[in-house]
């Protein structure tokens, strides 16, 4: 039966009570009880179900609820021992930091005060119970009334655990969702030092040597550990995207997506859905983007759903602030060449736009990169996750290249016209005289650079045709493929070569590129698709000169 999809609702209780679409992730509870530490940090990209899972934990453990009906028929209900021992047996503190993203530290602190005030409001029965002494009641009311000082706010959660323990005589579970959201926002908006100092106290007081704590769970996108944010915790268990623990708990597995396609009668769209929204690898487990899948089920249209839900500033800054090596590596990712990296222990701020393990780790955790071939650690290669991510990177590259190439826009248009008409001599002339020789902040340092350079020009002036990069054709992958909408027009196949030494023969390399198109049968699929005319180009580059062979 098709259930209603309520996109954006992250309350487990509401989803279950109103019987909305839900993929059963309740075995996360079992895995948590088996593998948790005193403090457990789980990092996953945004919109991958972190908040819903934390809401589920709260519903399961909260001593003030009766959750048996909520979990009836779900996987965790089959583990009666866990349910009998742990369901509704603990006081629970739940705090989501995802909306603490104000323009100043003072506004963000006030936002935290509001969250803490709401928490104390929810637990007002402690104040009214008579178990608190006069000093505790005064402190309780200060937090409730948003009257606590910045320094006092650092101990708010520790104080609440002591009150809950005093009343229930049970240690407390503390759940903090999107813990790094205030830190990331502070870095982008210029008050990072103040925020990191506050968060060190706010988190450290409740998670460090707290006798009232049963266990704590934090979720976020990044592991931020500069200035000892986690060093004072009680030996936290940290589960990132390469760790096997909890791998299938966030996002949708392939089997789950196939079941969804069958349920919603869209099995014929599965391969397209897979190319756009699959590709995430958590601990070696292949995962799909749950936000994009849910949006697709609701709208039945392939689009960029996930990338556009967050700030794209870091991706835009790659092109505007990145060093030459970073931009060249990004060009490689866009044109099918993986980067080589190893996982950094943590993310440090401010972000440096350089091709380093720290930067690539940031993109890996954020959900833009994935390990190639299921790599789990050490030095490994990484690539863009899927079509949804690649499409966004391509758009931003195109946007940047349009800005950079405004001065030679007419030459670009002429270049494209000549390329489409098969005029190799003019293509060579325009590239050498008007485009490659034009001063640019884009340094051409490898084949990746030239590849993105040409690719961006084609994208910036496309309209009646589609441009592909490194699409599989025949016996390999063509560097650039141009397919006109009108199949009576000519299709284009381009192969690039980059020469590092000036003494090498550009003409010979261009001819070799042209021969490769024939040897690899790159035009075979085009012919079968109905394109009777195909122009083939081999282009060899050295610095700001090139040689073009056409066939």
């Amino acid at each position: 039966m098709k259930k209603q999809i309520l996109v954006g609702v992250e309350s487990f209780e509401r989803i279950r009570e109103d019987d909305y679409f839900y993929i059963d992730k309740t075995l996360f509870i079992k895995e948590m009880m088996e593998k948790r530490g005193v403090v457990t940090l789980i990092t996953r990209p945004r919109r991958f179900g972190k908040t819903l899972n934390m809401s589920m934990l709260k519903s399961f453990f909260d001593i003030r609820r009766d959750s048996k009906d909520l979990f009836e028929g779900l996987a965790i209900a089959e583990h009666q021992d866990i349910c009998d021992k742990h369901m509704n047996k603990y006081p629970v503190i739940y705090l989501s930091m995802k909306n603490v993203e104000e323009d100043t530290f003072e506004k963000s602190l006030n936002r935290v005060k509001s969250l803490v005030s709401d928490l104390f409001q929810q637990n007002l029965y402690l104040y009214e119970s008579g178990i608190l002494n006069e000093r505790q009641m005064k402190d309780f009311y200060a937090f409730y009334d948003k009257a606590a000082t910045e320094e006092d706010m650092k101990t708010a959660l520790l104080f609440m655990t002591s009150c809950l323990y005093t009343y229930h005589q049970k240690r407390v579970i503390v759940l903090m969702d999107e813990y790094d959201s205030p830190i990331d926002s502070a870095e982008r908006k210029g008050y990072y030092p103040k925020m990191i100092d506050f968060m060190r106290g706010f988190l450290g007081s409740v998670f460090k040597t707290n006798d009232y704590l049963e266990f704590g769970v934090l979720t976020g996108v990044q592991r931020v550990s500069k200035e000892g944010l986690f060093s004072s915790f009680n030996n936290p268990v940290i589960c990132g995207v390469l760790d096997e623990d909890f791998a299938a708990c966030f996002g949708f597995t392939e089997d789950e997506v196939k079941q969804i396609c069958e349920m919603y009668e869209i099995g014929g769209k599965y391969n397209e859905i897979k190319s756009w929204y699959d590709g995430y690898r958590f601990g070696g487990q292949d995962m799909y983007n749950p936000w994009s899948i849910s949006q697709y089920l609701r709208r039945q249209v392939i689009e960029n759903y996930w990338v556009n839900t967050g700030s794209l500033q870091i991706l835009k800054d790659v092109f505007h602030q990145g060093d030459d090596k970073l931009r060249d590596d990004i060009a490689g990712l866009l044109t099918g060449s993986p980067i080589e990296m190893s996982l950094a222990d943590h993310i440090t701020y401010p972000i440096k736009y350089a091709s380093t393990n720290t930067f690539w780790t940031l993109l890996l955790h954020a959900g833009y990169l994935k390990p190639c071939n299921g790599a789990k650690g050490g030095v490994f290669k990484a690539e863009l996750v899927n079509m949804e991510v690649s499409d966004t990177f391509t758009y931003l590259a195109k946007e940047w290249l349009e800005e950079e190439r405004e001065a030679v826009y007419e030459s670009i248009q002429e270049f494209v016209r000549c390329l489409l008409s098969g005029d190799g001599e003019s293509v060579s002339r325009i590239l050498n005289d008007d485009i490659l020789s034009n001063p640019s902040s884009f340094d051409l340092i490898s084949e990746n650079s030239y590849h993105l350079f040409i690719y961006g020009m084609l994208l910036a002036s496309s309209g009646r045709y589609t441009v592909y990069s490194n699409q599989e054709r025949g016996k390999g992958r063509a560097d650039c493929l141009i397919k006109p909408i009108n199949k009576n027009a000519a299709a284009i196949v381009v192969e690039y070569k980059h020469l590092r030494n000036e003494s090498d023969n550009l003409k010979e390399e261009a001819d070799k590129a042209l021969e490769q198109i024939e040897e690899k049968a790159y035009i075979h699929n085009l012919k079968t698709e109905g394109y009777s005319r195909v122009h083939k180009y081999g282009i060899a580059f050295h610095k700001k000169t090139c040689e073009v062979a056409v066939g």
Side-chain angles (χ1 to χ4, degrees), residues 252-261 270 273 288 293:
F252 295 161
T253 67
E254 186 164 19
D255 286 342
E256 288 167 345
V257 172
K258 287 180 177 178
Q259 291 170 12
I260 291 169
C261 288
Y270 173 73
I273 292 170
Y288 287 69
I293 295 292

Side-chain angles (χ1 to χ4, degrees), residues 278-295:
D278 184 21
Y280 297 87
R281 293 186 186 131
F282 302 150
Q285 172 74 54
D286 190 38
M287 301 296 290
Y288 287 69
N289 188 315
W291 174 262
S292 296
I293 295 292
S294 298
Q295 289 282 12

Side-chain angles (χ1 to χ4, degrees), residues 127 132-143 159:
Y127 183 84
L132 304 181
N133 61 37
E134 185 176 346
R135 174 62 185 271
Q136 288 173 322
M137 291 183 68
K138 181 179 178 182
D139 290 343
F140 192 105
Y141 192 79
F143 289 123
F159 177 71

